[in-house]
Amino acid sequence: MKYILLLLFFIGIPCFSQEKNTPIKVDSITYYLELSNFHKNNYTYNKALEFGKKAVNYATRNNLEKGLADTYLAIGGIYYQLKKTDDAIENFIRSLAIYNNLKPSSNIAFCYYNLGLCYLDKNSFAIAENYFDKAISIYEQIQIPDAIELINLQKGIIYKKKGNINLATALFKNIISKNNIDNLFETKAEAYYQLAEINERNNPKKAIDYLEKANALTSNNNISQKLKIIRKISTLYNKTNSVNQSFYYLKRYVHLKDSLSAINNDSIGEAAFERYIANEQLKTIEKMDKENKEQEKSIKFSKLISILSIALISILSLLSLSLYKNNIIRKKTNQLLKEKNLELEVQKERAERASKARSEFLSTVSHELRTPLNAINGITHILLEDKPKESQLTYLNSLKFSGNYLSTFINDILEINRVESNALEVEHINFNIRELFQNIMDSFVEIANNNNVICRLNIEETVPSFLIGDPTKLSQILINLINNSLKFTKDGDVWINVFQTGKDGNCVDLHFEIIDTGIGILKEKQETIFDSFTQGSVEINRKYGGTGLGLSIVRRLVEILGGKIHLESELDKGAKFYFDLAFPIGEEIKVEKKTGLGYDEQWLIDKKILLVEDNKINQMITKKMLERKQMVCTIIENGEDAIEHLEKHRNEYDLVLMDVHLPGINGTIATEEIRKFDMQTPIIALTAISLDENREMLLSYGMNEVITKPFDPEKFYEIIATTIISRNGN
């Protein structure tokens, strides 16, 4: 580690140097700092601190702010080498307080780096990582990339100590992948050592391989790093029962240990010190001689510049002529670009109009299909409840299935159009992910039993139960994927897995997998399987049915939530769909579980209902459904008559069922008018909901609830019952 620190220190050395051609004064900051550094490198720390204090006194007397900052930085380095971390931190912070008023330099970055090392030694990982990030920012700014790799090494050590082995391993492997240049040898050696520590328990042979590489890269002068590498190699060979190899490296370790002790025990003599000063003076003389030669070269170069200047003037004249011609060409090109941009704007407007027309068309078709479909489903429900003959039951069940299938098809078309229109907003709701998965699994029990499929749910224990996100869209994704797996799997298994892959503060990264043992997907079809109206083949479509929209909806919803859906599959070996999403961790919510029906049928008996509906078939079906629960139904066919009737019979009805699309004024306007004189009577909207309609919009007109056509009978009764009972305050 000592040699790695020296690398960064020497990167910052230019900031300590005197200006060109200025000899080093005996009484100067640079003089004292070089003596201090000399003694530190020779382990005579008392002398190093003595000259450091002299540098502080000199800088204080002469008001040299930068020199004082450099001195505190040097003294902090001495204390850090002496393992006096608190004293080191104090001096680094003093240095930083002065550097922050100066321009960014390598010394400021080095100071942040040293603070990071100190707090790393104190196991204050968050503070250490913050200082390393600041050091990286400055090294990037002043363009010293080798130092950044060294800091990344320390960040990797932090991640390893915090238990985030994947991130640590990635950083270490990135460092060892760099080209072998002189400044990186020690850094790469330390990275190999850290990788060896990660692998020593589970893969000791691989750990030994890393250590051998670290040993090869470590300089023989870096005795401390050499010692820990050789000792670790000896230990691992002993664990793998390679006794001879272990003993060989143990002997090397003892020999190096003795050498290090000898170095630490020897003190620097006066003769060596005088040689150091003489060498420095010789370096100064050599530097001045070199600069004199450079000046001679500069004079010759000036003559050459004069000659080239004449040639340059001629070239510039030619360039001016060329630029004039180019300017004419550029004007013509700009005019052409303007014309092309205008054409693109026209095409864009056409595309937007076409998209709007498609949305309006689908909205209209949806409404026109849902109205008769409501009649089909409603009549089927009534006939099934009338205890039909056995011979009729098969036909009625087929009719019910066809109606439900058509409803699903319409919903899928509307959903894909809504998703592709970018009209969706992501909600951020606190929800229980385990409860959400269990509810989804419960809804597929019947399908799984029919196909003789075993569904297996596995949510890793580390996954938090409560998250903040959009449970509705997540449910849509999972329902489509699980339904897809169940549909194409017979006599097999479906696995639903959720794993935690990472955690950053209060946010977790989750990995979702839906795996089945079904028919699989051809390789050539896998790239297009997520397109709208696409299935594996015509034969599959005929055999299994479906709209081919489910996976297209899934892909778009996953992208909206910030992820990407992936597929792995082989024909006749099943398929695996997987994606990753990030969620903030939520707070625990205690919810009382409901059992049985969500209402009491006694709430509906003798309740007076006003039905505002213009379609005769829907009138008949809705009235029948209400009367089956012993409710009294009055029918009005348009909004104007409904307003007039309710004004004459105020508070007479327990509830109003208001169709949104009525002849004359529509249901929303009629509701607004009714609310002017009656704020008490609940009004429920009946709508074949379109792309431009939504629950919030309908409620804003004064409606209390929304029921979508075609009706789900149980949902229909439950909404009516709960709306009436909430009005009565029971």
Side-chain angles (χ1 to χ4, degrees), residues 415 418-428 470 473 477 553-564 581:
E415 183 65 20
R418 190 164 67 97
V419 166
E420 290 179 352
S421 67
N422 295 320
L424 292 180
E425 293 184 2
V426 177
E427 295 180 318
H428 301 281
D470 195 326
K473 292 181 179 61
I477 293 166
I553 294 170
V554 165
R555 179 184 64 179
R556 187 70 182 109
L557 288 176
V558 170
E559 289 172 354
I560 289 171
L561 295 181
K564 186 175 181 181
L581 296 176

Side-chain angles (χ1 to χ4, degrees), residues 195-212 232-233 235-242:
L195 285 169
E197 284 198 332
I198 291 171
N199 286 275
E200 66 175 307
R201 177 178 294 179
N202 298 324
N203 194 346
K205 290 185 178 180
K206 188 173 184 180
I208 290 171
D209 181 58
Y210 281 134
L211 289 169
E212 293 286 3
K232 181 70 72 175
I233 294 174
T235 302
L236 288 177
Y237 271 128
N238 187 50
K239 284 183 179 179
T240 57
N241 297 321
S242 300

Side-chain angles (χ1 to χ4, degrees), residues 565-583:
I565 188 76
H566 301 277
L567 165 64
E568 293 177 5
S569 180
E570 289 186 34
L571 195 62
D572 298 325
K573 292 186 180 180
K576 172 183 175 182
F577 292 88
Y578 59 96
F579 57 94
D580 295 276
L581 296 176
F583 296 93

Side-chain angles (χ1 to χ4, degrees), residues 630-696:
Q630 300 181 47
M631 288 179 274
V632 180
C633 178
T634 303
I635 297 174
I636 292 179
E637 294 190 350
N638 59 67
E640 292 88 344
D641 291 346
I643 296 168
E644 184 180 345
H645 182 80
L646 285 170
E647 193 166 11
K648 290 179 181 178
H649 301 84
R650 296 189 185 189
N651 298 322
E652 185 175 324
Y653 291 96
D654 294 290
L655 183 134
V656 177
L657 294 174
M658 178 74 71
D659 186 29
V660 172
H661 297 279
L662 293 169
I665 65 172
N666 61 30
T668 54
I669 302 301
T671 300
E672 272 190 322
E673 293 299 318
I674 292 167
R675 288 304 182 212
K676 290 178 181 179
F677 59 82
D678 183 356
M679 295 296 294
Q680 300 299 321
T681 305
I683 301 175
I684 295 178
L686 302 179
T687 177
I689 198 161
S690 67
L691 292 176
D692 294 326
E693 294 172 347
N694 55 59
R695 176 184 172 82
E696 289 72 22

Side-chain angles (χ1 to χ4, degrees), residues 224-284:
S224 59
Q225 188 174 24
K226 202 84 172 176
L227 274 172
K228 73 175 182 179
I229 292 171
I230 290 173
R231 183 176 183 180
K232 181 70 72 175
I233 294 174
S234 175
T235 302
L236 288 177
Y237 271 128
N238 187 50
K239 284 183 179 179
T240 57
N241 297 321
S242 300
V243 178
N244 292 335
Q245 290 281 40
S246 175
F247 183 69
Y248 167 75
Y249 280 102
L250 184 60
K251 286 198 298 182
R252 288 190 62 190
Y253 171 80
V254 171
H255 175 73
L256 284 172
K257 187 74 174 176
D258 292 339
S259 300
L260 182 62
S261 298
I263 290 171
N264 289 333
N265 291 331
D266 290 339
S267 60
I268 187 70
E270 288 297 320
F273 172 72
E274 290 174 1
R275 284 198 303 273
Y276 171 76
I277 296 298
N279 287 336
E280 290 301 314
Q281 291 175 346
L282 284 173
K283 288 179 183 177
T284 303

